[in-house]
Amino acid sequence: MKQRDIQVLQEMGLTYWQVRKPEIFPNQEIPVIDLPENCKLLLITNDELNDHDAWLFGRILSSMKLTPEQALCLPLEAVEQVGEHHLTWCWFAGCQGAHPTGCQVLNSVSLHLMHNDPSSKKALWQQICSYDV
């Protein structure tokens, strides 16, 4: 569930529950997350993006010739639930883990730390360019 959806539920006075240790409930089905066909980049981060982070994310997307509509953000623990996808990129920002098969993987510091660190931006750009060869 997107952070925005969780906030809407909270504003309505409804509580959102997430099972953090699904192994405790062996008979419970883990829901599968099928990404939309237009989703080409999956940002995996446990950080909540503020406006400044979202601005930087948008700038990076445009440099990759992607639009915000072609990207989704998931926390690390939700990645294992990703089912069908048409991803080109899987970007781990401030975390590491297993990625969905068939996509190009990027690793960086969190967007929050990247704002004032030109070397981390450069390292990310070098990773992006390495796939264009």
Side-chain angles (χ1 to χ4, degrees), residues 21-33:
K21 295 183 180 183
E23 63 274 5
I24 294 174
F25 305 100
N27 295 331
Q28 180 180 352
E29 266 188 53
I30 297 175
V32 174
I33 301 171

Side-chain angles (χ1 to χ4, degrees), residues 1-71:
M1 182 173 269
K2 293 182 184 176
Q3 184 63 32
R4 177 180 32 177
D5 296 335
I6 294 170
Q7 289 173 340
V8 169
L9 288 175
Q10 289 173 342
E11 288 172 10
M12 294 171 57
L14 300 174
T15 305
Y16 170 74
W17 294 88
Q18 180 179 12
V19 177
R20 298 222 183 249
K21 295 183 180 183
E23 63 274 5
I24 294 174
F25 305 100
N27 295 331
Q28 180 180 352
E29 266 188 53
I30 297 175
V32 174
I33 301 171
D34 288 324
L35 302 177
E37 191 171 327
N38 69 332
C39 181
K40 301 300 177 196
L41 183 140
L42 182 61
L43 175 65
I44 300 161
T45 183
N46 289 326
D47 300 331
E48 289 187 36
L49 302 184
N50 61 32
D51 290 340
H52 199 55
D53 297 337
W55 173 84
L56 178 60
F57 183 54
R59 300 276 302 181
I60 293 169
L61 284 175
S62 66
S63 73
M64 297 173 72
K65 310 239 183 317
L66 295 172
T67 63
E69 293 77 26
Q70 293 176 295

Side-chain angles (χ1 to χ4, degrees), residues 80-92:
E80 64 187 35
Q81 295 172 252
V82 171
E84 186 176 328
H85 67 83
H86 298 88
L87 292 171
T88 304
W89 301 96
C90 188
W91 174 8
F92 290 90

